[in-house]
Amino acid sequence: MYNANKPDASELPSTGKLLKSTGIAVVVASALLVTVVLPAEYGIDPTRVGSLLGLTEMGRIKRRLAAEAAAEEAGAPAQAVTFATTAAAPSEAAMVRPSEAPPVGETAPAVAASSAVLQTPPPAPAAARSDRTSLTLEPDEGAEIKLTMKEGDRAEFTWSTDGGAVNYDTHGDGRGISYHGYGKGTDTRVQGTLVAAFDGKHGWFWRNRGDEPVTITLETRGSYERVEFIE
């Protein structure tokens, strides 16, 4: 059958034009991935454009909520510390709750070989600063307080609620590091020492999953530059 609508070869795009169009599409897709998708979904913002657009914080909140949901579904009991070390932050990161120390005369169980060792940290330097901060969370509300610290700085801390238990996530972030976990769980009071794995902001995110407002009081003492609420 004769096809009267067959295009002429000169009307078809050349190989060069096709390659150019493909290259432009790849560049645009890569730019969107780095500036929009990574900040909004994972809290990773290598170009800082996501922070300017408000996408980075959204991505970090998504990661926190996903971690909370996973912990609740697993039904894991509150714990003093879980360790999460990364290649970007291989420094010491140990937290201890004195209430979980073994009784006198008993030997603590052996700990599997790891890059992080559970141990009682030494006291904070004599010239350490101290602060007392409090906040109130309405039902299902979350809030975050962090300390600005240098790598290796130590801060002793105690936080407690005036009522029910709250979900908590102790973590840090810094230049090129969007999330570094120290410990998470559900509790009414936690005491220990936070050791900064890198220069940045290190602290606590809480969420009230109860039906009544809860006031959290945080006491800190150690080597850090300042304490601040993170919005």
Side-chain angles (χ1 to χ4, degrees), residues 63-89:
R63 293 191 61 181
R64 294 191 197 110
L65 293 177
E68 289 179 18
E72 290 179 355
E73 290 177 3
Q79 55 186 7
V81 166
T82 55
F83 294 97
T85 57
T86 64

Side-chain angles (χ1 to χ4, degrees), residues 141-165:
E141 183 180 10
E144 188 171 18
I145 294 177
K146 284 186 177 177
L147 310 178
T148 301
M149 307 173 72
K150 297 293 185 182
E151 180 178 353
D153 283 353
R154 295 171 178 266
E156 297 178 354
F157 70 89
T158 301
W159 66 259
S160 58
T161 72
D162 65 348

